[in-house]
Amino acid sequence: MSDNFRRNTELRMFHSILEINFGQRVVVTGLGIVSPLGVGVHHVWQRLLDGKTGTVPLLGDDYKDIPCKVAAFVQRGNDPGCLDRHLEDADFKKMSLTSIYALIAANEALKDAKWCPVSTDALEKTGVAVGTGMVDLMDIVTTGNKLHHSGYSKISPFFVPRILSNMPAGHIAIKYGFKGPNHSVSTACATGLHAIGDAYNFIKNKYASVMVCGSSEAVISPLSIAGFCRMRALSTHFNSKPEEASRPFDSERDGFVMGEGAGILVLESLDHAIERGAKIYAEILGYGLSGDAYHITSPGNGAFRSMRQALSLSNIDTSQIGYINAHATSTPLGDSIELKAIHELFKEHSEILTVSSTKGATGHLLGAAGSVEAIFTILACYSESIPPNINLKCLDSEWPVNVAGNHCETWPHQVKEKRIALTNSFGFGGTNASLVFSNF
């Protein structure tokens, strides 16, 4: 009997005991990313740790009357880590950019997981849960103008499929033949974490053995920038210094920077991953969600309850958390409320764990934010490196919470035995999500 066979047999027996007591365990075996820091997990992660940013000026007459002049686009070009290298098969006629980003990230995640099933059984046990926060408004405006000026015959038959929010999930399932659950989530800026959390529950409840999950968003346009600007949600004070505009927790923060991208994960039941000898990045320990029932845009107290539920369902004590990837978008109100919720839940341990928001580097990817930040949280658990709070120069907090500086940090030594982290996403309408990951 080989050592590898014996080890896998022992792991399966151990897992069977745990499953009887705690239910199906779920692990992460593949990661894929498209972001303003680039395309490809390794490339993006290194740039994040190195303190790079993806925010650039908004150029052109279409933006001249809009107060915000910065955004975080996915980098174009043919250099390593740039988007154009991945667009060979992109069909812009049939698909939105949101779907294209999702397909690129899914391709990387599936290759990373080495999951390419061909049997009917395996395809039927593989599902997709990918969401998006909002559709491309300019696609709708352009098509509406075409109908008004040129008539019915000029409307593309692909217009409706391009703007359906479930189409990123649909395109992934169609491309790879996945016939398990086909699910889409649209919960504003909490979309990504809700999609991953739902996929986690699909596996725990045995609707699938493998789930491809996450979120995608590509809606930067004059109309979307103008709309968020009218809400006074976007940064306007750093138009001449775009790389400094997104600055979570900093005393000079004045609004978020709109970004775009996609984050896709491959989740598996632990026994399925062990059976095929998959590399395991992390385990999902818990998923919490809540509603504020307070205001359409201003945050309420749901952050506290979402985090508390995620920890409760994972049987994790607050003292075991080493890192929190915060939702903090660089808005004056939201960042402060999240730090308050963290302190209220973690109490004195909030001075030991480390908190950072990666939006200083990427901007706010709206519906895609949660899944991209989940990947960053997983990599922090996997590597022991905690991403910095880029552009944090003067911390604005009345709460004794250990907020990371603007350089990469190592995992807190007080909680290093098991690296457990939490990531948050909160959306307009008062919808909240939290996920707990640990190294495996």
Side-chain angles (χ1 to χ4, degrees):
M1 182 183 296
S2 69
D3 290 341
N4 190 53
F5 180 81
R6 183 181 296 107
R7 176 179 177 275
N8 284 346
T9 301
E10 291 171 350
L11 280 170
R12 281 193 293 271
M13 292 174 62
F14 177 62
H15 168 52
S16 297
I17 295 170
L18 288 172
E19 187 173 336
I20 291 170
N21 292 300
F22 302 109
Q24 188 87 283
R25 297 173 68 186
V26 180
V27 295
V28 181
T29 58
L31 304 172
I33 196 167
V34 175
S35 84
L37 290 177
V39 180
V41 169
H42 177 76
H43 175 81
V44 170
W45 178 243
Q46 191 57 56
R47 284 174 56 80
L48 177 64
L49 297 184
D50 289 343
K52 305 299 183 183
T53 66
T55 309
V56 296
L58 282 170
L59 304 174
D61 290 343
D62 288 341
Y63 294 99
K64 67 179 181 180
D65 296 325
I66 302 174
C68 176
K69 298 287 194 295
V70 298
F73 292 94
V74 174
Q75 296 179 345
R76 300 301 298 263
N78 287 302
D79 292 334
C82 289
L83 180 66
D84 292 5
R85 288 184 168 217
H86 305 269
L87 292 177
E88 295 87 354
D89 300 324
D91 192 336
F92 287 92
K93 181 180 178 181
K94 295 181 180 179
M95 289 186 280
S96 66
L97 191 56
T98 297
S99 290
I100 290 169
Y101 285 174
L103 282 166
I104 292 170
N107 182 60
E108 181 187 13
L110 288 163
K111 286 182 177 178
D112 186 33
K114 295 182 172 59
W115 182 241
C116 48
V118 293
S119 73
T120 299
D121 182 63
L123 291 169
E124 289 180 353
K125 290 181 179 177
T126 302
V128 183
V130 176
T132 186
M134 57 191 287
V135 300
D136 185 348
L137 301 179
M138 287 306 296
D139 199 356
I140 297 172
V141 170
T142 301
T143 303
N145 286 335
K146 191 175 292 185
L147 177 64
H148 179 74
H149 295 293
S150 303
Y152 161 80
S153 63
K154 298 300 181 181
I155 302 302
S156 168
F158 299 108
F159 167 63
V160 170
R162 277 204 310 264
I163 65 169
L164 290 175
S165 61
N166 71 312
M167 287 310 290
H171 281 300
I172 292 170
I174 291 166
K175 179 174 181 177
Y176 297 100
F178 299 148
K179 299 178 180 179
N182 191 289
H183 180 64
S184 183
V185 180
S186 186
T187 49
C189 303
T191 294
L193 283 198
H194 280 144
I196 298 168
D198 289 353
Y200 162 75
N201 280 332
F202 286 148
I203 295 175
K204 283 186 70 69
N205 291 306
K206 300 186 178 181
Y207 287 98
S209 297
V210 180
M211 289 295 300
V212 180
C213 60
S215 55
S216 182
E217 194 89 276
V219 295
I220 301 174
S221 70
L223 183 55
S224 61
I225 294 288
F228 279 105
C229 240
R230 287 290 291 165
M231 295 173 64
R232 299 184 179 180
L234 299 183
S235 173
T236 59
H237 294 169
F238 295 88
N239 289 336
S240 62
K241 298 178 180 178
E243 68 281 357
E244 297 181 17
S246 184
R247 47 197 315 115
F249 305 124
D250 188 76
S251 61
E252 293 188 4
R253 68 191 185 277
D254 71 317
F256 73 81
V257 172
M258 190 184 298
E260 61 177 6
I264 301 294
L265 291 69
V266 176
L267 308 186
E268 300 185 43
S269 65
L270 178 58
D271 56 352
H272 188 275
I274 291 172
E275 182 72 31
R276 69 183 194 89
K279 172 181 66 178
I280 296 175
Y281 282 102
E283 180 175 4
I284 300 180
L285 300 182
Y287 169 43
L289 57 169
S290 70
D292 289 341
Y294 173 67
H295 191 271
I296 59 171
T297 57
S298 296
N301 65 356
F304 174 90
R305 288 180 286 106
S306 177
M307 291 188 288
R308 182 181 63 185
Q309 185 181 75
L311 293 175
S312 174
L313 293 176
S314 59
N315 294 309
I316 294 296
D317 186 80
T318 54
S319 64
Q320 295 176 269
I321 299 294
Y323 172 54
I324 296 177
N325 183 287
H327 175 70
T329 62
S330 189
T331 59
L333 182 62
D335 294 14
S336 297
I337 287 179
E338 187 171 7
L339 286 181
K340 178 184 177 183
I342 289 170
H343 180 257
E344 287 180 345
L345 179 60
F346 290 89
K347 298 182 171 58
E348 63 274 6
H349 186 65
S350 62
E351 299 181 61
I352 295 173
L353 58 77
T354 303
V355 177
S356 75
S357 169
T358 47
K359 290 183 176 73
T362 65
H364 184 11
L365 277 58
L366 306 180
S371 56
V372 168
E373 289 157 16
I375 291 173
F376 293 155
T377 307
I378 289 163
L379 292 174
C381 294
Y382 188 74
S383 69
E384 300 186 40
S385 297
I386 291 178
N389 279 302
I390 294 170
N391 291 323
L392 177 58
K393 296 180 180 178
C394 180
L395 177 64
D396 174 31
S397 175
E398 60 182 293
W399 310 101
V401 177
N402 181 31
V403 176
N406 54 21
H407 296 283
C408 172
E409 300 190 9
T410 57
W411 202 270
H413 66 88
Q414 299 96 323
V415 283
K416 216 166 186 177
E417 182 177 346
K418 182 76 171 176
R419 295 189 296 278
I420 305 175
L422 183 146
T423 183
N424 291 326
S425 285
F426 314 131
F428 284 172
T431 180
N432 310 294
S434 301
L435 278 171
V436 179
F437 295 98
S438 76
N439 67 314
F440 185 79

